[in-house]
Structure formats: structure tokens, C-alpha cells
Amino acid sequence: MKYKTYSIGGGGTEQDEGIWEIKETPKTITLKCIEESFFGPDFKSVKINKYYRDGKSASRKLEEDGVSYIGHMNNGHVLRDWLDGTYTLYPNQGGKPYIFEPIS
């Protein structure tokens, strides 16, 4: 599925991060930039394993401000699946968040 992606920098400034595709398998979630914006994103591909090496799940059901989401935390990245079709990615567990909204 394709997603319009933007990041939120310091002071709440939004920056277009292009069009991305998210592919999910039973073991991984891969996010890949397929159409760059004018400036281009800092990251062009992120792969998150759903399981740790010992086979334990790297995903947890969590809640923030009364909103439930699934947090995938592995490979040094954090991905929040908001269960409404949108995602938030924190590459390397910090920095500016990348927001993914589905393109209809």
C-alpha cells in the first residue's frame, strides 16, 4: 500500500518526505521510499523485525492519551501502528517522527 509521508521537525514544521510503500510479512515490516520529495527523506528504507532473535514478539499493544496502538520496537527503530491505517516511525528511536497516511 502507498502512503503520503511527512516529518515534523523542530517547532512543529512539517516537511514532505515523499511517497512510501509499506509491506508486511509475518516476520517483518518494510517501509520504502518509492517517490522522493524535492528535498528527499533522511531515510529511504527501514526494516523492522516483529520478533527478537530469541523468538519473542517485538510488538506490544500500548495506549497513549486514550488511543490504542501497536508498537513495533526492533532493529533500533520504533513504529507505531495507530490501527486506523496510519503509522508513525521514529528512525533510530529518536529525532523527527515520520507520519504515514494512506493514499486512497
Side-chain angles (χ1 to χ4, degrees):
M1 180 172 231
K2 293 181 182 179
Y3 292 81
K4 177 183 99 172
T5 305
Y6 61 94
S7 62
I8 301 176
T13 306
E14 291 185 11
Q15 179 175 317
D16 181 6
E17 298 292 352
I19 305 298
W20 289 60
E21 192 170 59
I22 298 177
K23 292 185 179 180
E24 189 168 352
T25 70
K27 294 183 179 183
T28 64
I29 300 170
T30 303
L31 302 95
K32 184 175 181 181
C33 182
I34 58 173
E35 186 179 312
E36 290 187 29
S37 64
F38 178 76
F39 293 105
D42 295 336
F43 296 86
K44 295 182 182 171
S45 181
V46 175
K47 186 175 183 178
I48 297 174
N49 290 319
K50 293 183 182 180
Y51 297 93
Y52 296 111
R53 288 184 190 161
D54 61 6
K56 290 184 182 175
S57 178
S59 303
R60 296 175 192 87
K61 188 166 186 177
L62 302 165
E63 189 173 303
E64 183 175 298
D65 297 327
V67 179
S68 295
Y69 66 93
I70 298 173
H72 304 281
M73 299 161 252
N74 203 344
N75 295 44
H77 308 295
V78 174
L79 179 68
R80 293 181 178 179
D81 177 349
W82 293 101
L83 305 174
D84 65 355
T86 63
Y87 295 85
T88 304
L89 172 69
Y90 295 88
N92 298 318
Q93 298 183 26
K96 61 184 179 180
Y98 283 64
I99 313 301
F100 295 80
E101 297 176 345
I103 298 173
S104 53

